[in-house]
Amino acid sequence: MSLGWFIAIAACLGGVLLTFVISVFTGLAVGDIRGWLPHVSRRLVASAARHLPPEMADREEEFRADVGEYEDRPLTMLIVALRIWRDGRAIGRESRRLLGAEPTPGGVARRRPVAAARRAFALAAQWTMVARAFRRADTPKWARERAGRSRKVEDVDEMFRVVLRNLAMDRLESAAGRLMTISCAAVAITSLLGLLGFFAASVAGTLGVLFGALLLRAISGRRR
Amino acid sequence: MGIERRITKQVEAILLTLLAHLTIEMSGAEIAEAAKLSRGTVLKSGSLYPALIRMEGFGWLTGQWEDIDPREAGRPRRRLYRLTGEGEAVARRVNARATQPVSAPKGTLRGLPAGGAA
């Protein structure tokens, strides 16, 4: 028997053995996962119930019972539990609204229009400041000197200082708010740079066209 | 705090489902399942449970915990809902409105202009 045959037979046997091992372990794993699913579902429901106001905390039992109706279908049970978990915040918010209770600090409060408007104002102030600083920084040197101001570096410094100070302020208490501020500043800087680039390209293009036209005119004049 | 008694699509589905099963008490999951089977309305948990709580507050539903011992039964108690007299009246009004034939716009008949097809 040649070495090639030996390798082929060994590969076949290895493949059969591997398939057997994988199927046995997959079977065990599936069985195990099926056993975990109800537990995971219960944890998800408990997590959703945390959003409920204390007066309605007993409703967790209702959720658990409703999820438990699918005990014989663990995957459906998990899907139903996932839906309750996903909607937990909305259920809690609505329950609080019905009870007339104050929303807890966190996600519920952040979604309120007043909080959103306050955040927008905080960000708008920074946008204005960034725009103002860039306008000053971008003013031609002769204009700055005529106005007695040469504050390009100071303005940009001030801008970043205030933005950084605002990042640590209480009014932007969430990580999302900070991220928004950083992205807002980044967008402002890139858009302004882009705008400057666009203007520079436009001016260069216009000058190029004018120069070309003048050149053509001069050439045609000489030929005549 | 006054809550507006608005009949949303979800509230309507719950009312009509419970009206169709007047004699029995149903849990939230059963209501959702029945609404899906009979009316094709999908009641998401995010709107189902708040709607049930709200309707209980209006006095349209009564919710009662199932009379079992969770330890003995080996499962949590379900909360079972049933229409009250007021809820039934509201459900009947909603049902009448839902089954009312849609009238054609004034002056037209099946898209024909006013004055007939002559």
Side-chain angles (χ1 to χ4, degrees):
Chain A
M1 191 190 283
S2 69
L3 185 66
W5 274 105
F6 180 75
I7 290 171
I9 290 166
C12 281
L13 285 175
V16 169
L17 193 69
L18 197 69
T19 310
F20 176 73
V21 169
I22 287 172
S23 60
V24 166
F25 275 96
T26 309
L28 286 174
V30 166
D32 241 26
I33 290 167
R34 274 180 75 91
W36 294 340
L37 287 181
H39 176 68
V40 172
S41 304
R42 277 194 293 275
R43 291 300 295 259
L44 287 170
V45 168
S47 170
R50 262 184 236 132
H51 295 287
L52 287 169
E55 297 90 334
M56 289 188 180
D58 60 343
R59 294 289 175 132
E60 183 188 344
E61 195 174 355
E62 182 185 4
F63 299 163
R64 275 197 289 125
D66 283 356
V67 168
E69 303 240 330
Y70 304 96
E71 192 83 53
D72 53 335
R73 288 180 282 163
L75 203 62
T76 311
M77 188 181 181
L78 180 72
I79 291 167
V80 173
L82 272 170
R83 283 191 189 136
I84 291 180
W85 176 74
R86 183 197 61 191
D87 298 332
R89 208 179 277 271
I91 297 170
R93 189 171 54 234
E94 186 68 11
S95 308
R96 279 191 171 75
R97 198 174 71 83
L98 293 171
L99 290 171
E102 279 295 306
T104 51
V108 178
R110 258 182 256 134
R111 288 187 182 192
R112 292 197 141 196
V114 175
R118 209 179 51 162
R119 178 142 299 143
F121 271 113
L123 290 172
Q126 288 171 42
W127 265 99
T128 315
M129 194 182 56
V130 169
R132 192 168 144 260
F134 265 90
R135 200 195 61 198
R136 279 197 189 175
D138 199 43
T139 312
K141 198 180 171 187
W142 59 268
R144 283 203 310 276
E145 281 170 358
R146 201 166 66 179
R149 291 178 296 159
S150 181
R151 299 184 53 196
K152 184 173 178 175
V153 177
E154 289 87 338
D155 275 350
V156 175
D157 268 2
E158 187 192 340
M159 173 190 84
F160 281 112
R161 202 155 36 81
V162 179
V163 169
L164 288 172
R165 202 175 63 212
N166 277 356
L167 291 179
M169 274 174 73
D170 286 344
R171 63 180 150 161
L172 290 169
E173 66 268 56
S174 69
R178 288 174 197 175
L179 194 67
M180 235 170 104
T181 313
I182 292 168
S183 55
C184 181
V187 166
I189 290 164
T190 46
S191 60
L192 280 163
L193 286 176
L195 202 65
L196 286 176
F198 172 74
F199 275 122
S202 303
V203 169
T206 312
L207 286 175
V209 169
L210 277 173
F211 182 73
L214 286 171
L215 199 67
L216 278 173
R217 197 177 164 187
I219 292 167
S220 61
R222 264 188 203 173
R223 278 187 184 169
R224 275 180 206 166
Chain B
M1 192 175 75
I3 302 290
E4 197 189 344
R5 294 189 178 199
R6 207 152 45 92
I7 298 178
T8 58
K9 201 178 159 193
Q10 288 78 17
V11 169
E12 187 181 313
I14 295 169
L15 282 172
L16 295 180
T17 305
L18 286 172
L19 185 67
H21 302 86
L22 256 183
T23 51
I24 54 167
E25 292 179 317
M26 296 174 90
S27 69
E30 284 170 343
I31 293 171
E33 197 79 20
K36 195 176 170 186
L37 286 174
S38 62
R39 303 178 48 79
T41 310
V42 178
L43 288 169
K44 291 180 182 173
S45 48
S47 52
L48 171 69
Y49 293 109
L52 288 172
I53 295 169
R54 203 181 318 140
M55 289 163 78
E56 233 183 305
F58 296 163
W60 293 352
L61 301 182
T62 50
Q64 281 180 344
W65 289 106
E66 204 179 4
D67 192 18
I68 57 157
D69 184 4
R71 280 184 214 160
E72 276 181 22
R75 62 174 177 85
R77 290 176 305 162
R78 295 183 302 165
R79 194 164 173 83
L80 302 169
Y81 298 93
R82 170 180 269 184
L83 282 178
T84 60
E86 193 188 343
E88 194 184 330
V90 175
R92 289 200 187 282
R93 276 204 303 274
V94 169
N95 191 34
R97 201 181 54 193
T99 51
Q100 221 171 33
V102 180
S103 56
K106 200 180 174 184
T108 63
L109 183 63
R110 289 193 181 186
L112 293 174

